[in-house]
Amino acid sequence: MQSEVLINEDRIRERVLQLAAQIDCDYDDKIPILVGVLKGSFIFLSDLVRLLKIKHQVDFLTVASYDGGLTSTGIVRLVSDLSVNIEGRHVLIVEDIIDTGLTTDYILKNLQTRNPASLEFVVLLNKQECRKIDVPVKYSGFEIPDQFVVGYGLDYNQYYRNLPYIARL
Ligand code: 5GP
């Protein structure tokens, strides 16, 4: 694979630290539940939660819209659900990347029906120019152009998740 570093380890670490500080401040008097959207968010989530100072809980859900390739099928499905009841809870969804916004919109609509006290999104990478549907993202790490990226949890055909930086294919 030919790849080129887009965001190096230092920049990722610095930005995740800033996001954690902002979340600490905003959720100071709350006990949020951070929901990692698998699989792509697993490294981002694990770095983020280790930098948080506030009391919080962690859970996961799995959604799929890619079938291993470079483009989304546009059809989002829930592969595995949360393990806890989020009614009345402050929920912070942690995503790796937002592209069209279809996945985020699906998660938003699905989880809103469960009556959380609040529901916000923290996303590491944002491809704003690819958006097909407007989604409210409270915390965004980096704006990136319309290019397929891998590393720091993001895959191509399930490979390259272990790269410590974000690279474009
Ligand atoms: P959306 O529904 O916003 O179009 O896409 C969200 C999902 O598509 C992400 O959670 C991720 O799984 C996948 N995705 C979108 N863009 C990229 C990319 O550049 N690289 C990788 N590896 N996955 C992507």
Side-chain angles (χ1 to χ4, degrees):
M1 180 195 73
Q2 289 288 329
S3 77
E4 183 193 341
V5 177
L6 185 65
I7 307 171
N8 69 26
E9 287 179 73
D10 288 347
R11 284 184 64 206
I12 295 173
R13 195 177 307 110
E14 187 187 345
R15 190 72 186 111
V16 177
L17 191 57
Q18 289 169 349
L19 291 170
Q22 188 64 53
I23 292 166
D24 273 339
C25 185
D26 294 349
Y27 289 82
D28 188 26
D29 55 348
K30 302 179 180 79
I31 303 178
I33 175 155
L34 278 84
V35 174
V37 181
L38 294 173
K39 301 174 190 172
S41 75
F42 80 107
I43 291 180
F44 176 39
L45 178 85
S46 58
D47 280 350
L48 183 69
V49 296
R50 283 179 294 172
L51 292 167
L52 286 179
K53 296 190 177 72
I54 51 162
K55 194 170 173 182
H56 65 276
Q57 295 172 323
V58 172
D59 202 11
F60 295 96
L61 55 76
T62 311
V63 290
S65 64
Y66 275 46
D67 285 329
L70 291 169
T71 52
S72 169
T73 60
I75 300 161
V76 186
R77 63 196 170 87
L78 188 63
V79 177
S80 69
D81 205 346
L82 298 174
S83 68
V84 294
N85 181 359
I86 57 165
E87 186 170 355
R89 299 295 310 273
H90 293 282
V91 178
L92 195 47
I93 309 291
V94 182
E95 284 201 84
D96 53 354
I97 186 165
I98 302 190
D99 183 3
T100 61
L102 292 171
T103 304
T104 309
D105 185 63
Y106 173 88
I107 295 169
L108 178 70
K109 287 184 175 140
N110 186 309
L111 298 192
Q112 258 171 353
T113 63
R114 308 181 196 192
N115 299 320
S118 67
L119 187 59
E120 303 288 357
F121 287 85
V122 50
V123 56
L124 182 70
L125 305 171
N126 192 356
K127 289 187 195 171
Q128 187 64 47
E129 65 186 87
C130 301
R131 206 66 99 248
K132 287 188 180 158
I133 189 160
D134 195 32
V135 282
V137 180
K138 186 158 184 183
Y139 308 97
S140 175
F142 299 95
E143 294 289 330
I144 62 164
D146 180 13
Q147 283 167 338
F148 193 84
V149 293
V150 294
Y152 198 68
L154 289 107
D155 75 307
Y156 173 61
N157 275 339
Q158 302 301 327
Y159 295 109
Y160 313 118
R161 294 191 194 275
N162 59 313
L163 296 177
Y165 48 80
I166 303 289
R168 50 184 151 219
L169 278 184

